[in-house]
Amino acid sequence: MVQELLIALVAVLSGGLLYAMAAARVVKQYERGVVLRLGRLHDAVRSPGFTMIVPGIDRLRKVNMQIVTMPVPAQDGITRDNVTVRVDAVIYFKVVDPASAVIQVEDYRFAVSQMAQTSLRSIIGKSDLDDLLSNREKLNQGLELMIDSPSVGWGVQIDRVEIKDVSLPETMKRSMARQAEADRERRARVINADAELQASKKLAQAAQQMSTQPAALQLRLLQTVVAVAAEKNSTLVLPFPVELLRFLERAQQGPQPPVAAGQPQDTPHEQPDSGRPAGSSAVDPPAPAVPLVEPSVTEQTFTDQPLPDAPLGGPDPEADGVPEFDPERPSDQPRRTSFTRH
């Protein structure tokens, strides 16, 4: 009898041990347990630690509550300015409602991955190339909102979305390199022009200052000569000042002869006028221009008759009342000569 009781007790203990082993579950600190009893969601979500379920009736689903880092595969797309690009990203999310993550969606990881890929393609089509390259913060925020909106019902919270890399075609890279080079050259030319403008203003001020002292210009010329002469492989061409050339010209002509009183003084650069009367000064105003031909003579008709064989001399000028040319005649009296044409 006692032996039978011992056997029954051992059997019960063995069965209890087997039941405990089948019903015992351990939930880790970063996990939460969702119990489905006979296919229905149990109200309480199992907290971390040791827990028991009914073997064969309950099924425990453990949900990871850590932040998941999921890379988004590179997506090919065409930007709004018709540039083909290849963009990949990375998404950070976590589960905030374990029951919804188990009940509302079949596989929340796969769902978030597909949503991230489609949202990334949509962002590429709505953005320009410059925004993809320089304004990524705004694009990251827009991509995060696009993914987070449907994932709220899945019990998933999107923490952050980052565009990782933007791959461009080789032709576009070369075009952008040429554009950057042209922009650098433009800025260099603008800076050079600005420097020339400032230098011209300073040179104008220096020229205005040197104009008050002619010797300063000569000193500046000598300083330039010294600066150029420092180079041994240069040929120096030194211009002579105009004042020095005039001085040499006067020294070559020699002293001027004395001029008697009452006679006009001739300068080396001025020739005496043959029609000026004697005793007139060199500073007298010039005589008015006198026409050599009468206006009435110029208005004559031409014929096709041949010229006569007689010499063209005409009658004696004294007989016609025309005075001869007299060099001693004052220039204020006009000289008139009549011409005839047959």
Side-chain angles (χ1 to χ4, degrees), residues 5 42 199 212:
L5 290 176
H42 197 270
T212 59

Side-chain angles (χ1 to χ4, degrees), residues 10 30 34 39 61 90 94 108-109 113 129 157 178 198 204 209 232 237 243-244 246 255 259 291 306:
V10 170
Y30 54 84
V34 178
R61 295 280 302 272
V90 59
K94 65 180 179 179
Y108 66 90
R109 289 176 177 265
S113 176
L129 180 61
Q157 180 182 356
R178 289 196 300 268
Q198 296 180 5
Q209 185 68 23
K232 302 300 182 182
V237 179
E243 292 80 4
L244 181 58
R246 290 179 181 176
V259 181

Side-chain angles (χ1 to χ4, degrees), residues 62-82:
K62 298 180 181 179
V63 180
N64 193 343
M65 304 296 291
Q66 292 178 320
I67 295 177
V68 180
T69 303
M70 178 181 295
V72 180
Q75 303 296 316
D76 294 329
I78 300 177
T79 61
R80 190 167 57 181
D81 50 356
N82 298 327

Side-chain angles (χ1 to χ4, degrees), residues 70 171 216 256 320:
M70 178 181 295
T171 56
Q256 297 292 335
D320 295 342

Side-chain angles (χ1 to χ4, degrees), residues 6-7 29 45 156 184 207 247 276 286 310 327:
L6 290 175
I7 294 174
Q29 182 65 37
V45 176
V156 178
R184 293 281 182 177
F247 174 75
R276 181 176 298 169

Side-chain angles (χ1 to χ4, degrees), residues 205-246:
Q205 295 177 2
Q208 184 179 4
Q209 185 68 23
M210 288 182 181
S211 62
T212 59
Q213 297 293 335
L217 184 60
Q218 300 296 331
L219 293 177
R220 182 59 184 168
L221 177 61
L222 294 177
Q223 291 178 0
T224 306
V225 170
V226 171
V228 174
E231 298 292 336
K232 302 300 182 182
N233 56 353
S234 60
T235 302
L236 179 62
V237 179
L238 180 62
F240 285 95
V242 180
E243 292 80 4
L244 181 58
L245 295 178
R246 290 179 181 176

